[in-house]
Amino acid sequence: MRDQKNKPTSDKRKRGISRRKFLKGVGLGSGVLSSGILGGPLLPEASAVAQAAEVEVAGPTPAPIELTVNGQRKNLRLEPRVTLLEALRDWLDMTGAKKVCDRATCGACTVILDGQPVYSCSVLAIESQGKNIQTVESLAQGDSLHPLQAAFVENDAQQCGFCTPGFVVAAKAFLDKYPNPTREQARLGLGGNLCRCGTYAGIWKAVLEAATGRRDSQRGIGQGGGSNA
Amino acid sequence: MPEYRWPEIGTTSLIGKRINRVDGPEKVTGRAKYTYDLKRPGMLYGKMLRCPHAHARILSIDTSEAEKLSGVAAVHIVQEPGTEIQWAGDDVVAVAAVTEQITEDAIRRIKVEYEKLPHLVREEDLAKAGDRVKPFTEQVTGDPDQAFQAADTVVVEGEYGLPVVTHCCLEVHGQVAEWEGDRVTIYPSIQGVERVAGQYAQALGVPASNVRTLMQYVGGGFGSKVAADRWGTACAQLAKKAGKPVRLMLERKEDQEVAGNRPSDFARIKLAATRDGTITAWQSESWGTGGPGGGGSPPIPYIWQIPNQRKIHSAIATNCGPARAWRAPNHPQACYLTMCPIDDLAAKLNMDPLDLVVKNVSLLGPRAELYRQELAKAAELMEWKKNWHPRGDRSPGPMKRGMGLSLHTWGGGGHSSECQVSIHPDGSVEVSLCTQDIGTGTRTVLTIVTAETLGLPVEAIRLNIGDNRLPPSGNSGGSTTVGGVSSSTRRAALNALEQLFLTVAPSLGVSPEQLEAVGGQIRVKGDPTKSLSWKQATAKLGVASIKEMGKQPGPQPNPGELTSSGVGGVQMADVSVDVETGVVKVNKIVAVQDCGLIIDMKTAESQVYGALIMGICYSLMEERVMDQLTGRMLNANMEFYKLAGLADIGELVVHMWTDPEQQRRGVIGLGEPPVISPGAVIANAVASAIGVRVPYLPLTPPRVLAALEKGGMV
């Protein structure tokens, strides 16, 4: 069992593999990952793995995985190396999140995990169990766009559109945390996503406008000032 | 036959207004399905084993272990033993399996032996390029030797250069292939849905009539997505062998190494003017690489018709992924190599570069007067005269501020295009043509043109694109799309409307020529009381729909046509440079851009904003870094191949030049021109700030600090 588990790891080490590929390749249960490897040394000693192996170990063969996506439970059988992004796209056909850099750089794969924006290309599906996964697909209700999405359309904050869903989700998470951002906060707060067509000017405006719209809708536009008045 | 003209200026209800992108809602919701998002029934995942060496011969390939792996459905050798590979990352073996993960496992089990051959992957030092240098013929105009030596002549000399940059489309190159008998459907990520079908037919050896190509959305192209490519053919061959659909998308690393780039250009340049600032002579020795083929020669001096010139260019054949058209091919390089020396000449003459350019404006060819006006507008928006200072910001503290300017040109005349407009008895309208919207707003433009012509709202128009069975409308490249497809659509819509007028005229008791389509009505000109609603009018068609074609033959030379060619454009930048860290910050860029008649002001401005941001990327960050020892690209990813983020862009001011004279020129493309000048304006602004030229893009902190050390004001 242990031999089997370690196989992909040693196989990949020989090839000078990246930290993320290592994480994708190693077939460990969630307890081990969250308690050691991510925060600790890059390659755990064999003994550390042996000690940690008391917790449930999955893989490398497909294991049952339950994900909660946009409030719905999804039961899948996935190899533990499958990322959350791959699970969403290739198994659940939820393709709003895009695979672009596959290295936690560009943000096109952004989803919200228990309220926090994450690069889903660098989170394992098995690690996402028991967490609330929110994707871009949850924002619009039928033909009715989320106000933030409407602001993206109004400010032409998209060209080819490939980065757009990731930006929308990142912006949503940002506004959830900073409902009244300054221009400077928005400028820095949206720095985790990249666009190649160059739609930043529109995105910046859209996010600020969505925040203003949110304030206006809370206090009612044209009602003689907000709560401070 | 109707008169094929755009509506009179000032009479439009949609054209030239600020209309939202019609596919915006699909994109912001994530519902837009790109090639990478497609999942056909039973689809397999394809990947490629690639050559790790920059120059090698394949000796043997053993795929047996990969084929034994459970889940592997097809293995296809792309390049046979004996083939000489010319760049690292070139395709060798393609594999398809039931999951992406198993495909990766299979790739690792393939054994390939290579004979390594000598390689060259760096070109910036001409002296080290040896027999890889392919010199072009020297070109001489006038008498440069005499001009450089004439009395009272001021001469500047310098070396300037731009590295290879990649396209880095966010959607990597790739496709889905699916067979049904001897017919194949390809879902490509492409800038030419129609043209690529023929390439597949030829490569696969099937009749052209058996190839269907379908694509609704593409995640960026910028010139790099016009070919079927070897990986496209391999994907189709895997699908054929496996008897199942296959999706093969490149890895990011592969895309950066092999799927296209912009050639580099370096040059030693001499430029002369008389003491009063009249430019007299140009001399350049330039070189660059576009990969194994060497590459073309940049059009320098760019735009400036300098009377005395001597120039020679050398192409250097390198073992790097081949170049592809990159947004305004050759122009950003030529512009940088020309406008930087002109700025240096102004500094040496102790002149404001704006004054030097205006003084020599007659050398700017047929658009000289337009440039003069655009320079004046840009100067106003930048407050150039108030803010300009002689080279080198003398204010105290480490932050130095400066401004730079540049100008550019591009063609952008519409390509040939055919379109069918259908008006159905129930009032619905369909527009069908095989073009594609690569993010430029083509869908929006076509919808606006049809709606305007038929007097309907944009919501009333159904548009069909991205299918090679529709009327042919060419590739999206060279900014030729908007002129071509808007013109064919205008023609088809006018033709269809004429047929509708013929049908309904008797019921209104007038001749067809007396009718107009306005505000959802067909009405008698000058007598709005005599009208039919659109639906009443189309109901008179009975059961037969109107289907009319519009054919646009290509760019038209005469004014007043639907499309013409040739634009100018002026840009200015304001930057701050921290002379202690070498970090350059863009404070503001002003872009003044003409492009004939603008159909949708909102998406047109977006093109310019986007071009400026892409310009900031290649001016400050982008550079393909090759390692001569291993022959590999060191930053074939997105964490070390840097793109600007939202925090890097500064204030962008876009001014579209829309005087009546421009509008009479018809529709002209806009995608490329505004991406040409940013390198020059930002580099010139940096020189103005720190008092010394940083010769090579990108203007990274080490380059800025090196220039300061060499001759700066610190």
Side-chain angles (χ1 to χ4, degrees):
Chain A
M1 182 69 188
R2 191 165 301 149
D3 285 344
Q4 230 182 0
K5 174 193 72 193
N6 283 332
K7 229 175 209 168
T9 316
S10 53
D11 209 28
K12 289 183 178 189
R13 263 188 229 173
K14 280 184 216 151
R15 299 178 53 85
I17 179 141
S18 72
R19 173 189 170 120
R20 205 185 71 84
K21 286 269 182 187
F22 166 74
L23 287 175
K24 283 173 79 169
V26 70
L28 296 171
S30 58
V32 176
L33 277 177
S34 54
S35 66
I37 296 171
L38 278 172
L42 185 56
L43 298 176
E45 294 299 321
S47 59
V49 174
Q51 280 167 18
E54 284 170 21
V55 300
E56 196 184 336
V57 171
T61 52
I65 288 177
E66 185 183 276
L67 299 177
T68 309
V69 187
N70 301 328
Q72 291 188 332
R73 293 213 178 139
K74 307 277 185 187
N75 287 293
L76 301 167
R77 284 191 69 81
L78 300 176
E79 290 180 37
R81 61 175 162 172
V82 172
T83 64
L84 174 56
L85 177 65
E86 289 161 345
L88 289 170
R89 291 177 53 82
D90 293 339
W91 275 269
L92 297 173
D93 202 24
M94 301 178 79
T95 55
K98 307 295 186 213
K99 190 187 263 193
V100 171
C101 70
D102 205 24
R103 297 271 283 257
T105 301
C106 74
C109 63
T110 305
V111 302
I112 298 175
L113 202 59
D114 275 352
Q116 293 294 323
V118 297
Y119 296 127
S120 65
C121 73
S122 299
V123 177
L124 295 174
I126 197 169
E127 273 285 285
S128 312
Q129 296 187 104
K131 295 181 180 171
N132 189 10
I133 303 158
Q134 198 183 357
T135 73
V136 71
E137 283 85 359
S138 70
L139 296 182
Q141 304 300 318
D143 285 343
S144 176
L145 298 180
H146 184 280
L148 179 61
Q149 291 171 316
F152 264 66
V153 174
E154 194 56 39
N155 290 282
D156 204 30
Q158 74 262 290
Q159 286 187 33
C160 85
F162 210 68
C163 74
T164 309
F167 249 117
V168 167
V169 174
K172 159 109 181 24
F174 171 73
L175 288 178
D176 285 347
K177 197 167 179 184
Y178 301 95
N180 298 298
T182 62
R183 281 176 60 80
E184 186 62 11
Q185 280 174 327
R187 192 174 78 89
L188 298 174
L190 296 165
N193 291 55
L194 293 174
C195 167
R196 185 49 158 165
C197 300
T199 58
Y200 300 132
I203 292 170
W204 198 1
K205 275 190 222 160
V207 170
L208 290 169
E209 199 176 284
T212 316
R214 190 182 298 201
R215 281 199 302 276
D216 289 346
S217 65
Q218 274 164 10
R219 70 183 180 210
I221 302 165
Q223 297 296 308
S227 54
N228 292 331
Chain B
M1 201 174 77
E3 204 182 345
Y4 300 117
R5 294 271 185 270
W6 293 111
E8 286 301 312
I9 298 159
T11 67
T12 61
S13 56
L14 297 168
I15 289 177
K17 310 281 194 241
R18 307 182 62 81
I19 312 284
N20 282 350
R21 194 176 289 266
V22 295
D23 49 7
E26 289 296 294
K27 289 175 176 172
V28 297
T29 51
R31 287 175 194 149
K33 286 278 183 187
Y34 297 75
T35 297
Y36 210 148
D37 300 332
L38 299 179
K39 195 170 183 192
R40 304 293 305 162
M43 189 180 82
L44 304 169
Y45 298 82
K47 283 188 190 294
M48 196 78 82
L49 175 71
R50 295 174 176 279
C51 178
H53 309 299
H55 190 195
R57 186 172 290 107
I58 302 173
L59 297 177
S60 68
I61 300 174
D62 177 2
T63 61
S64 56
E65 289 299 311
E67 281 167 58
K68 280 182 216 158
L69 188 65
S70 169
V72 172
V75 176
H76 173 71
I77 292 175
V78 182
Q79 299 201 77
E80 297 284 346
T83 311
E84 189 176 325
I85 302 286
Q86 291 288 353
W87 62 88
D90 199 9
D91 323 288
V92 179
V93 183
V95 178
V98 292
T99 68
E100 207 173 333
Q101 292 72 24
I102 292 174
T103 315
E104 282 172 12
D105 294 344
I107 292 282
R108 277 194 289 275
R109 291 172 173 229
I110 299 169
K111 297 182 193 76
V112 182
E113 288 180 311
Y114 298 95
E115 177 197 354
K116 285 205 261 178
L117 302 169
H119 64 247
L120 178 77
V121 297
R122 298 190 65 116
E123 80 292 7
E124 67 275 23
D125 189 345
L126 189 59
K128 286 184 184 165
D131 62 357
R132 300 299 191 96
V133 180
K134 300 175 181 174
F136 287 47
T137 314
E138 186 179 78
Q139 290 174 278
V140 179
T141 311
D143 189 345
D145 294 335
Q146 198 199 1
F148 278 112
Q149 284 159 17
D152 272 344
T153 294
V154 176
V155 178
V156 285
E157 282 184 78
E159 198 171 302
Y160 308 85
L162 311 78
V164 169
V165 299
T166 68
H167 296 74
C168 202
C169 310
L170 290 201
E171 182 182 33
V172 289
H173 292 63
Q175 59 293 306
V176 177
E178 182 171 2
W179 291 84
E180 203 183 325
D182 58 355
R183 292 172 177 269
V184 64
T185 301
I186 308 284
Y187 302 86
S189 176
I190 205 84
Q191 294 173 239
V193 175
E194 171 221 335
R195 301 273 168 91
V196 80
Q199 296 176 25
Y200 274 102
Q202 201 172 19
L204 296 169
V206 298
S209 55
N210 287 15
V211 179
R212 181 95 183 266
T213 45
L214 296 169
M215 184 196 77
Q216 286 304 306
Y217 293 95
V218 54
F222 313 108
S224 70
K225 290 181 178 170
V226 290
D229 283 316
R230 207 147 44 199
W231 52 76
T233 316
C235 177
Q237 274 152 344
L238 286 172
K240 180 105 186 165
K241 276 189 190 177
K244 286 182 175 171
V246 173
R247 184 177 85 198
L248 191 159
M249 305 300 293
L250 270 55
E251 304 275 323
R252 174 58 51 189
K253 174 180 161 57
E254 302 168 354
D255 208 73
Q256 289 281 56
E257 279 196 294
V258 307
N261 55 69
R262 183 178 87 180
S264 61
D265 267 308
F266 299 87
R268 285 190 270 274
I269 293 165
K270 242 169 100 175
L271 182 65
T274 56
R275 212 158 271 290
D276 70 347
T278 304
I279 298 172
T280 55
W282 168 278
Q283 181 176 301
S284 59
E285 183 193 9
S286 56
W287 67 96
T289 188
S297 169
I300 49 175
Y302 185 60
I303 307 177
W304 294 91
Q305 297 172 352
I306 300 172
N308 304 292
Q309 300 182 19
R310 168 176 286 113
K311 49 190 187 181
I312 184 160
H313 180 80
S314 299
I316 303 180
T318 52
N319 299 106
C320 303
R324 297 183 175 200
W326 192 103
R327 208 168 179 181
N330 287 325
H331 282 233
Q333 298 98 315
C335 180
Y336 181 83
L337 295 179
T338 305
M339 291 307 297
C340 291
I342 284 182
D343 189 73
D344 289 345
L345 180 64
K348 189 154 184 185
L349 288 164
N350 209 16
M351 275 177 88
D352 177 343
L354 178 59
D355 295 339
L356 179 69
V357 170
V358 171
K359 183 176 176 65
N360 291 279
V361 80
S362 63
L363 298 179
L364 291 174
R367 270 179 289 280
E369 175 53 22
L370 179 62
Y371 283 123
R372 201 186 56 72
Q373 293 174 26
E374 290 181 337
L375 281 162
K377 184 69 199 177
E380 177 198 322
L381 293 168
M382 189 53 104
E383 298 187 87
W384 180 278
K385 280 293 167 191
K386 184 180 137 207
N387 294 325
W388 184 80
H389 57 71
R391 191 172 268 192
D393 178 359
R394 307 285 157 188
S395 61
M399 296 303 286
K400 306 296 182 189
R401 199 157 174 177
M403 294 190 303
L405 67 84
S406 176
L407 40 85
H408 52 257
T409 187
W410 188 254
H415 60 219
S416 61
S417 166
E418 296 181 23
C419 174
Q420 184 181 61
V421 167
S422 308
I423 300 175
H424 298 295
D426 66 357
S428 59
V429 176
E430 267 184 287
V431 183
S432 302
L433 67 169
C434 186
T435 186
Q436 48 281 318
D437 189 333
I438 62 171
T440 45
T442 307
R443 271 194 185 86
T444 312
V445 162
L446 296 178
T447 307
I448 289 172
V449 167
T450 312
E452 178 83 50
T453 307
L454 302 180
L456 295 171
V458 290
E459 296 77 23
I461 311 301
R462 179 174 165 175
L463 180 65
N464 305 309
I465 61 170
D467 177 349
N468 71 324
R469 289 189 184 164
L470 300 174
S473 280
N475 287 346
S476 291
S479 299
T480 61
T481 303
V482 70
V485 300
S486 64
S487 298
S488 67
T489 302
R490 173 74 173 166
R491 285 167 185 267
L494 285 169
N495 290 344
L497 189 61
E498 185 181 50
Q499 293 304 311
L500 184 62
F501 286 167
L502 281 170
T503 304
V504 305
S507 62
L508 288 166
V510 294
S511 67
E513 300 77 47
Q514 288 173 272
L515 294 175
E516 61 181 2
V518 180
Q521 290 186 322
I522 305 297
R523 67 186 193 194
V524 178
K525 286 178 198 166
D527 184 3
T529 57
K530 288 170 87 174
S531 69
L532 292 173
S533 74
W534 178 260
K535 284 215 169 204
Q536 286 169 332
T538 58
K540 295 194 183 298
L541 294 172
V543 292
S545 300
I546 292 170
K547 286 179 190 287
E548 284 291 323
M549 293 298 296
K551 292 191 181 186
Q552 176 62 28
Q556 301 297 296
N558 305 319
E561 298 281 353
L562 292 169
T563 176
S564 67
S565 183
V567 300
V570 164
Q571 293 181 8
M572 293 181 176
D574 163 6
V575 307
S576 291
V577 184
D578 184 333
V579 293
E580 289 175 353
T581 63
V583 172
V584 176
K585 181 170 166 281
V586 173
N587 300 317
K588 179 176 175 179
I589 302 182
V590 168
V592 177
Q593 186 62 53
D594 56 284
C595 70
L597 172 70
I598 293 170
I599 302 288
D600 179 17
M601 188 56 77
K602 192 176 271 195
T603 50
E605 285 177 356
S606 288
Q607 282 291 294
V608 185
Y609 283 120
L612 295 179
I613 292 167
M614 205 172 208
I616 292 169
C617 291
Y618 78 70
S619 301
L620 299 184
M621 298 166 191
E622 284 185 65
E623 177 174 22
R624 183 185 74 181
V625 181
M626 298 300 299
D627 177 39
Q628 177 55 31
L629 195 64
T630 59
R632 298 304 297 257
M633 179 176 175
L634 295 177
N635 55 346
N637 48 48
M638 288 178 71
E639 57 264 44
F640 298 110
Y641 188 88
K642 292 285 186 191
L643 300 179
L646 196 143
D648 300 313
I649 61 169
E651 181 190 359
L652 306 175
V653 178
V654 173
H655 180 88
M656 302 308 295
W657 195 264
T658 55
D659 64 11
E661 196 183 328
Q662 277 298 324
Q663 297 187 44
R664 277 193 288 273
R665 300 191 62 208
V667 178
I668 310 175
L670 177 62
E672 349 259 310
V675 88
I676 296 167
S677 277
V681 292
I682 294 171
N684 288 342
V686 168
S688 154
I690 66 174
V692 61
R693 170 65 54 188
V694 184
Y696 306 113
L697 294 184
L699 306 169
T700 56
R703 289 206 174 97
V704 171
L705 293 176
L708 282 165
E709 209 160 282
K710 205 172 159 191
M713 36 185 279
V714 185

